[in-house]
Amino acid sequence: MLLQASIDWNLRVHILDPDPEAPCRHLATQFAVGSLLDYDTVYRFGQSVDVLTIEIEKVNVEALEALEREGKKVYPQPAVIRTIQDKRLQKAFYRQHGLPTADFILTDNRADVAGYADFLPAFHKLGRDGYDGRGVQRIASAADLHKAFDAPGVLEKAVDFEKELAVIIARNANGEMQTFPTVEMVFHPELNLVEYLFAPAEITAEVNEQAQQIARQTAEAFGIVGLLAVELFLDKDGKVLINEVAPRPHNSGHHTIRANVTSQFEQHWRAILNLPLGDTDFYQPSAMLNLLGEDGFTGPARYEGLETLLGMSGVFPFFYGKAITKPFRKMGHVTVMDTDMDRLREKVAVVRDSIRVIA
Amino acid sequence: MLLQASIDWNLRVHILDPDPEAPCRHLATQFAVGSLLDYDTVYRFGQSVDVLTIEIEKVNVEALEALEREGKKVYPQPAVIRTIQDKRLQKAFYRQHGLPTADFILTDNRADVAGYADFLPAFHKLGRDGYDGRGVQRIASAADLHKAFDAPGVLEKAVDFEKELAVIIARNANGEMQTFPTVEMVFHPELNLVEYLFAPAEITAEVNEQAQQIARQTAEAFGIVGLLAVELFLDKDGKVLINEVAPRPHNSGHHTIRANVTSQFEQHWRAILNLPLGDTDFYQPSAMLNLLGEDGFTGPARYEGLETLLGMSGVFPFFYGKAITKPFRKMGHVTVMDTDMDRLREKVAVVRDSIRVIA
């Protein structure tokens, strides 16, 4: 989607991807296969381009730091990626900068976690390498302590939240910042994946201002150049807390491709190329549903119910071109738009009941 | 742009293009270089795909007819392309189907045209191979008769028009039809190229209904599967006449990428794949300016004033990735959107005065 947003501006985009069958291979100006975790691979690739950016945090930061030292433009900056890569550093960063976030304790191993039974219920999160719900365990009570990771992590007090929100913010090298409207995410009860999202969030002006303000403060604290997706909790007392952040285009901004004047992907290009940031206003309220591979199906993907979707107005399916579906694999998403919130919710229900990714 | 509209649906698109440096070469699933006018090249290419479509009418129709006879889906149908390729057949088709169009006389050569001095002022149009204003001569009076083409053509009575309009219509194999809102085009006074366009057109409901109705009648008369762009004159008496048609995505629909629920490009895919046609409603009024290479500059293209455009809200530049600019070459376009027509016109003026394609 980032590549798609580059086409109208004729940007020459070179991609490094570990998967020789990556769906984007036909869209890039140049496509190289290689590990994002290998120092030499990343370093050599970075030398061949003018500006280097990432779409996933799990990347060799040492190579990015070397490139940055040599004067290469690397956005987001390696120091930002390094902090965000490790949930322990990330949480410590919020505390250090006075940014509101759930209380937490840094833990070294499972035995360490066992000493904090009075801190429960909490979530134990692996410091590094978690992604899309992997690397997170809910520790409701002492009986769950065996589920804690036996590796450096962070024990985070469970927030009794009303809603999960997100604000995507862009910042360019001039320091110009622009937020997208606050969205509301509904997570899959088991998978810890965004199941669907409504934009804008149905929240009070006061809560919205908290969310937008926190996003601005966080982007400024990081000094990031690029996009920062700030995931937030709205607790039962109306207080907004940072859950976690991602320094790149994010699932909570996919609806912006259709619903907003500027998409998150175009905004990322604007930010890292130090262009004026785009207007983030929306044309109509929207929703986004992730299309996950149906449980029980593995193999070449088939999309059931597609004609129903294409027969509806303001319903936009996006398929990611992944050849093989697996249970709960993110295979695409659907954006739904309407001027009326009730009709929007009705459409979302029809879409959810119509489309299945099977094999 | 047609390729771009295929990406979200994972369509596998193979392209045949005579230019090895065609800007789309990095976007196609497969890219083949070859002449669109060579029977064998077109025939063999067509055999390798499931559905064949075109983006330019100047193509070997005999090869398309052979493929169609063998059961290949060729949309638009070769018979439609054959009629439209030749302005003589096209005009005769309108007369035969009772579709309103300016009066005309078929002519064989220049001497032939000279016999119709009492039919002037008129336009003499080459039967075949005209494009973007090439192949059209205004014959204001007998003194201009030497400008007539010495080849088969059509002498068309000059219409004293109030406005030039266009309606793009899609028709799928089920016979479902859907029109886009009527737009208003302003042509460059010398180049016979669309200089800019406003959507929707500022016309009465009655004129709009004529335009929409003519588009439907024309698509039905052709029985076309795919897009048909119907260019129209609104004469001083409030009567709408067909100027000419194109059986493909068209310059008069480029604004739909941003301004409409469904773009003309997505609609073309829907039509030729016999999917339900998409909603053509628009989010906001829009305008489109063609970006022509500045007179006096030939060479590697540079875009002056781009930052001004990117600093405006609702202004979307599209560059076609052509490496070399030439005087008046179509290098891209800019879509401008606003909820307010006056602000829209102001923005158009700023854009027109800001951007230049130079070398």
Side-chain angles (χ1 to χ4, degrees):
Chain A
M1 291 179 273
L2 190 57
L3 268 171
Q4 285 173 261
S6 76
I7 297 172
D8 294 327
W9 294 0
N10 290 338
L11 303 181
R12 298 173 54 86
V13 185
H14 296 202
I15 298 287
L16 175 65
D17 194 299
D19 181 2
E21 298 296 313
C24 68
R25 68 192 182 283
H26 290 304
L27 300 179
T29 312
Q30 279 193 32
F31 180 74
V33 177
S35 168
L36 303 178
L37 298 173
D38 180 64
Y39 181 95
D40 289 337
T41 305
V42 172
Y43 179 74
R44 271 198 302 270
F45 178 81
Q47 284 187 312
S48 75
V49 299
D50 299 316
V51 182
L52 191 64
T53 190
I54 55 148
E55 270 213 321
I56 186 165
E57 301 86 280
K58 216 171 148 179
V59 61
N60 191 298
V61 178
E62 290 74 20
L64 300 182
E65 286 168 339
L67 290 160
E68 186 183 50
R69 273 194 306 273
E70 294 166 18
K72 186 71 69 183
K73 288 177 181 163
V74 184
Y75 300 131
Q77 302 92 324
V80 176
I81 300 171
R82 184 178 278 284
T83 301
I84 293 173
Q85 269 185 346
D86 189 329
K87 290 200 167 71
R88 295 158 54 92
L89 297 179
Q90 202 184 125
K91 289 289 282 190
F93 180 90
Y94 303 142
R95 186 171 278 169
Q96 180 195 338
H97 287 84
L99 295 163
T101 190
D103 198 12
F104 65 93
I105 296 161
L106 300 182
T107 57
D108 290 328
N109 50 43
R110 189 177 293 145
D112 197 4
V113 178
Y116 297 108
D118 58 342
F119 198 72
L120 306 180
F123 287 90
H124 194 230
K125 296 181 175 178
L126 265 183
R128 299 178 61 90
D129 301 340
Y131 189 72
D132 266 356
R134 291 186 291 275
V136 176
Q137 280 293 356
R138 184 177 163 82
I139 315 285
S141 67
D144 288 339
L145 281 169
H146 67 281
K147 292 186 189 167
F149 298 102
D150 198 15
V154 54
L155 190 68
E156 191 177 308
K157 198 122 192 146
V159 176
D160 188 17
F161 62 80
E162 184 73 32
K163 289 186 175 199
E164 295 198 58
L165 308 174
V167 175
I168 294 179
I169 183 166
R171 186 176 174 279
N172 68 17
N174 285 347
E176 189 194 344
M177 294 199 294
Q178 184 73 265
T179 56
F180 282 88
T182 310
V183 305
E184 181 172 341
M185 298 178 292
V186 179
F187 279 72
H188 187 285
E190 287 140 49
L191 300 172
N192 198 29
L193 272 171
V194 175
E195 191 169 10
Y196 49 97
L197 164 158
F198 283 92
E202 291 195 285
I203 49 177
T204 65
E206 194 274 321
V207 166
N208 186 50
E209 188 41 41
Q210 271 188 74
Q212 296 274 316
Q213 180 66 18
I214 290 169
R216 282 191 292 269
Q217 287 167 344
T218 309
E220 220 149 43
F222 277 116
I224 191 170
V225 172
L227 281 192
L228 187 73
V230 184
E231 296 187 57
L232 301 156
F233 295 121
L234 169 61
D235 76 11
K236 302 278 189 196
D237 303 324
K239 192 167 151 47
V240 178
L241 302 169
I242 300 176
N243 175 10
E244 59 181 33
V245 302
R248 52 167 167 81
H250 189 257
N251 202 178
S252 63
H254 286 357
H255 62 291
T256 60
I257 297 174
R258 290 291 190 146
N260 295 61
V261 176
T262 305
S263 77
Q264 66 163 342
F265 299 99
E266 179 180 320
Q267 197 75 308
H268 186 68
W269 290 119
R270 286 174 179 260
I272 68 172
L273 299 174
N274 204 22
L275 292 167
L277 297 178
D279 181 355
T280 56
D281 205 4
F282 58 92
Y283 297 120
Q284 294 179 1
S286 64
M288 190 278 305
L289 294 87
N290 276 323
L291 281 179
L292 306 179
E294 194 77 11
D295 199 5
F297 293 89
T298 298
R302 283 179 39 223
Y303 301 88
E304 209 178 66
L306 183 53
E307 288 222 19
T308 305
L309 265 60
L310 294 181
M312 298 169 72
S313 171
V315 172
F316 308 100
F318 296 77
F319 301 112
Y320 298 162
K322 300 176 183 176
I324 301 297
T325 183
K326 296 176 197 169
F328 311 119
R329 188 177 192 197
K330 270 190 200 164
M331 300 299 289
H333 72 267
V334 183
T335 296
V336 182
M337 290 169 64
D338 207 291
T339 49
D340 178 85
M341 284 303 283
D342 288 333
R343 277 204 311 266
L344 181 65
R345 286 175 197 285
E346 282 165 27
K347 281 188 196 174
V348 167
V350 174
V351 169
R352 197 176 40 206
D353 294 345
S354 302
I355 184 115
R356 294 201 318 157
V357 187
I358 58 175
Chain B
M1 291 178 273
L2 190 57
L3 268 170
Q4 286 174 261
S6 76
I7 297 171
D8 294 327
W9 295 0
N10 290 338
L11 304 181
R12 297 171 56 86
V13 185
H14 296 202
I15 298 287
L16 176 65
D17 195 298
D19 180 2
E21 297 296 312
C24 70
R25 68 192 183 283
H26 291 304
L27 300 178
T29 311
Q30 280 192 30
F31 180 75
V33 177
S35 167
L36 303 178
L37 297 173
D38 179 65
Y39 182 95
D40 288 337
T41 304
V42 173
Y43 179 73
R44 270 198 303 268
F45 178 82
Q47 285 188 313
S48 75
V49 300
D50 299 316
V51 182
L52 192 62
T53 191
I54 55 146
E55 272 212 318
I56 186 164
E57 299 87 279
K58 215 170 149 180
V59 60
N60 190 298
V61 178
E62 290 73 22
L64 299 182
E65 286 169 337
L67 290 159
E68 186 183 50
R69 274 195 305 274
E70 293 166 21
K72 186 70 68 184
K73 288 177 182 161
V74 184
Y75 300 131
Q77 302 93 323
V80 177
I81 301 171
R82 185 180 278 285
T83 302
I84 292 173
Q85 269 184 344
D86 189 329
K87 290 200 167 70
R88 296 158 52 93
L89 297 179
Q90 203 185 123
K91 288 291 281 190
F93 180 90
Y94 303 143
R95 184 171 279 170
Q96 180 194 339
H97 287 83
L99 295 164
T101 192
D103 198 12
F104 65 93
I105 296 162
L106 300 182
T107 57
D108 291 325
N109 50 44
R110 188 175 295 146
D112 197 4
V113 177
Y116 298 108
D118 57 343
F119 197 71
L120 305 180
F123 287 90
H124 195 229
K125 296 181 175 179
L126 264 183
R128 299 179 60 90
D129 301 339
Y131 188 72
D132 266 357
R134 291 187 289 275
V136 176
Q137 280 293 359
R138 183 175 165 84
I139 315 286
S141 68
D144 288 337
L145 281 169
H146 67 281
K147 293 186 190 167
F149 298 101
D150 198 15
V154 54
L155 188 69
E156 192 177 306
K157 198 125 194 144
V159 176
D160 188 17
F161 63 80
E162 185 70 31
K163 289 187 176 198
E164 295 199 58
L165 307 174
V167 176
I168 293 179
I169 183 166
R171 185 176 175 280
N172 67 18
N174 285 346
E176 189 194 343
M177 293 198 295
Q178 182 75 262
T179 56
F180 282 88
T182 310
V183 304
E184 181 172 340
M185 298 180 292
V186 179
F187 279 72
H188 188 286
E190 286 140 49
L191 300 171
N192 198 29
L193 272 171
V194 176
E195 191 169 11
Y196 48 98
L197 164 158
F198 283 92
E202 291 195 285
I203 48 177
T204 65
E206 195 273 320
V207 166
N208 186 49
E209 187 42 40
Q210 270 189 73
Q212 295 274 316
Q213 180 67 19
I214 289 170
R216 282 190 293 268
Q217 287 166 344
T218 309
E220 218 149 44
F222 278 116
I224 191 171
V225 172
L227 281 193
L228 188 73
V230 184
E231 296 187 58
L232 302 155
F233 294 121
L234 169 62
D235 76 11
K236 303 277 189 196
D237 304 324
K239 193 166 150 48
V240 178
L241 301 171
I242 301 176
N243 175 9
E244 58 181 30
V245 302
R248 52 167 168 81
H250 188 257
N251 202 181
S252 63
H254 287 356
H255 63 291
T256 61
I257 297 174
R258 291 292 189 142
N260 294 60
V261 176
T262 305
S263 77
Q264 65 163 344
F265 299 99
E266 179 180 318
Q267 196 77 308
H268 186 70
W269 289 119
R270 286 175 178 260
I272 69 171
L273 299 174
N274 204 21
L275 292 167
L277 298 178
D279 182 354
T280 55
D281 204 4
F282 59 92
Y283 298 120
Q284 293 179 2
S286 64
M288 191 277 305
L289 294 87
N290 277 323
L291 281 179
L292 306 180
E294 195 75 11
D295 199 5
F297 294 89
T298 298
R302 284 179 39 223
Y303 301 89
E304 209 178 64
L306 183 51
E307 288 221 17
T308 305
L309 266 59
L310 295 181
M312 298 170 72
S313 171
V315 172
F316 307 100
F318 296 76
F319 301 112
Y320 300 161
K322 299 176 184 176
I324 301 297
T325 185
K326 296 176 198 170
F328 311 118
R329 188 177 191 196
K330 271 190 198 164
M331 299 300 288
H333 72 267
V334 183
T335 295
V336 182
M337 290 169 64
D338 208 293
T339 49
D340 179 86
M341 285 303 283
D342 289 332
R343 277 204 310 267
L344 181 63
R345 285 176 198 284
E346 282 165 28
K347 282 189 196 173
V348 167
V350 175
V351 169
R352 198 178 37 205
D353 294 344
S354 302
I355 184 114
R356 293 202 318 158
V357 188
I358 58 175

